[in-house]
Amino acid sequence: MVARSTLLYLSRREGLKDFATRFAPFKKMTARFVAGETLEEAAETIRHLNSIGCTASFDHLNESVGTVEETEGEVREYLRILRAIDETGIRSNVSIKLTQFGLEIDPELTYRNARTVVEEAARRGNFVRVDMEASAVTQVTLDIFRRLRSEFGLNDVGIVVQSYLRRTHDDVLDLLKIPARIRLCKGAYNEPPEVAFPDKKDVDDNYVRLMQLLLASGTYHGIATHDERMIAATVGYAERQRIGRDAFEFQMLYGVRRDLQEKLARQGYNVRVYVPYGKHWYPYFMRRLAERPANVWFIVKNLFKG
Ligand SMILES: Cc1cc2nc3c(=O)[nH]c(=O)nc-3n(C[C@H](O)[C@H](O)[C@H](O)COP(=O)(O)OP(=O)(O)OC[C@H]3O[C@@H](n4cnc5c(N)ncnc54)[C@H](O)[C@@H]3O)c2cc1C
């Protein structure tokens, strides 16, 4: 079986990226997880999701951006997304990655870029979610988020936490004091055991503990998972504590467990689907493969089919 860590290692290898992005059958396989290369294609996907009762979050794929000009292009794309949401009336917010806005160049530039997008979202009554990336940038991501949150409202900007990180319990307690809107996920990067729980059971136990803290806080949070056990734990806890279905939302990724997305929406839960689009799909796509090695065999089979 292809190990998760191998796939996550390959997700950062530029050479393979060039090979994969030019290789048509490989590219075709991305269609399951990536809603096209253009904003218009992603908007069409979101229109469909809205029609089955789900909201969405746009994600323009392009992480670890290396030049100032490219980060400015990312800001322009997000301003375009926010305008398109208003003009089309689709129900969606946006998710950003700080490495997309220059975190590997200069944190101050990153802050300014992110601020421009949050300011525009706030002006339009929309919301920006700051995704969480690898542990090397956890602290600076939280620092920039706190700075943005001190200038903008609870419903303008939110953050993500990862239950696989040992530090996350303390981070959540601090974030809830601000308060902040939080998306809880398990975490998708390759992390050493000093910073992240190596055993899935510990990641899951921490997820349930953190979910309970979030739901009990009274702030509107996102419970992001496709794990039916995490979902059942959330539904059960909310029922026992008499927390209404409109007090939180479930979040899932485009192309993953569509059946579950529809089922929860039909049951009256708020469901938001994360919709990535763009040309730079390679690292995102490799993380999705790493989450479910069966996906790799699906690709291999299709490569041989031609
Ligand atoms: C809306 C959303 C936003 C996210 N944002 C971030 C972020 O900012 N930072 C970050 O580090 N991570 C993020 N993630 C990814 C997350 O950390 C996990 O890697 C991912 O969600 C898989 O974990 P799981 O909770 O679904 O549980 P798992 O235990 O990994 O999976 C449970 C079950 O879900 C299904 N499943 C899960 N993933 C896949 C897949 N790729 N393909 C097919 N089936 C699958 C399988 O049936 C699997 O058995 C996000 C996830 C979601 C849903």
Side-chain angles (χ1 to χ4, degrees):
M1 194 189 281
V2 186
R4 175 176 178 272
S5 56
T6 309
L7 290 165
L8 290 176
Y9 170 79
L10 292 175
S11 76
R12 290 178 286 111
R13 300 273 58 85
E14 292 296 310
L16 187 63
K17 170 179 156 185
D18 289 345
F19 167 76
T21 46
R22 275 193 224 118
F23 198 49
F26 203 100
K27 204 169 161 184
K28 216 169 112 193
M29 286 299 112
T30 62
R32 175 176 167 196
F33 297 110
V34 177
E37 292 203 344
T38 65
L39 169 52
E40 290 66 32
E41 287 169 283
E44 202 43 50
T45 297
I46 291 178
R47 210 186 307 279
H48 171 71
L49 288 165
N50 288 171
S51 76
I52 59 167
C54 299
T55 56
S57 193
F58 273 98
D59 167 42
H60 183 243
L61 294 167
N62 198 6
E63 48 203 85
S64 300
V65 165
T67 68
V68 175
E69 294 68 35
E70 216 183 332
T71 70
E72 288 163 358
E74 291 304 308
V75 172
R76 280 196 299 278
E77 184 67 5
Y78 272 95
L79 299 183
R80 215 163 71 85
I81 299 173
L82 289 165
R83 192 173 63 237
I85 294 171
D86 265 1
E87 284 173 4
T88 59
I90 52 181
R91 288 181 295 132
S92 184
N93 61 29
V94 299
S95 292
I96 61 172
K97 284 189 172 48
L98 293 187
T99 63
Q100 171 171 40
F101 286 162
L103 205 50
E104 288 165 2
I105 308 170
D106 172 17
E108 201 53 36
L109 163 80
T110 312
Y111 158 73
R112 284 198 307 274
N113 283 336
R115 191 186 187 289
T116 304
V117 175
V118 175
E119 189 174 37
E120 179 68 359
R123 191 179 75 76
R124 292 183 181 275
N126 209 317
F127 176 80
V128 178
R129 177 78 61 183
V130 180
D131 284 352
M132 189 55 80
E133 302 179 69
S135 65
V137 295
T138 305
Q139 190 57 51
V140 63
T141 302
L142 288 169
D143 292 345
I144 291 176
F145 167 71
R146 278 178 168 276
R147 204 165 153 195
L148 292 166
R149 180 64 187 87
S150 70
E151 292 175 72
F152 297 95
L154 176 68
N155 293 321
D156 299 330
V157 61
I159 186 73
V160 178
V161 299
Q162 301 151 321
S163 74
Y164 66 10
L165 291 189
R166 295 180 188 275
R167 60 176 286 166
T168 297
H169 186 263
D170 289 344
D171 287 338
V172 164
L173 294 180
D174 286 347
L175 288 164
L176 289 178
K177 282 187 205 140
I178 302 178
R181 274 175 60 176
I182 297 172
R183 173 200 296 151
L184 172 63
C185 67
K186 290 190 188 178
Y189 298 81
N190 218 0
E191 301 292 357
E194 303 82 69
V195 296
F197 300 111
D199 291 340
K200 184 172 164 49
K201 185 176 180 316
D202 293 328
V203 177
D204 290 354
D205 288 351
N206 201 31
Y207 193 99
V208 173
R209 261 195 307 273
L210 296 169
M211 172 277 289
Q212 293 180 351
L213 276 177
L214 296 190
L215 260 56
S217 73
T219 297
Y220 187 87
H221 299 293
I223 306 300
T225 184
H226 319 91
D227 186 335
E228 298 204 41
R229 287 174 314 114
M230 299 300 111
I231 291 169
T234 307
V235 167
Y237 181 75
E239 280 174 3
R240 286 196 303 282
Q241 300 299 315
R242 299 185 192 287
I243 294 166
R245 291 182 184 190
D246 55 355
F248 63 95
E249 65 187 27
F250 285 114
Q251 298 184 352
M252 295 189 211
L253 300 176
Y254 175 68
V256 181
R257 294 301 313 263
R258 289 175 207 191
D259 56 331
L260 201 49
Q261 297 171 12
E262 283 190 43
K263 185 174 136 197
L264 287 166
R266 270 200 312 272
Q267 288 174 349
Y269 289 99
N270 293 334
V271 179
R272 186 176 301 276
V273 180
Y274 185 96
V275 178
Y277 76 96
K279 290 191 173 62
H280 303 282
W281 46 263
Y282 173 77
Y284 177 87
F285 177 67
M286 291 301 280
R287 288 198 295 276
R288 303 295 75 83
L289 294 191
E291 281 153 5
R292 192 160 174 263
N295 291 343
V296 178
W297 299 117
F298 181 68
I299 291 206
V300 171
K301 266 191 309 194
N302 278 276
L303 285 180
F304 284 111
K305 268 190 215 157

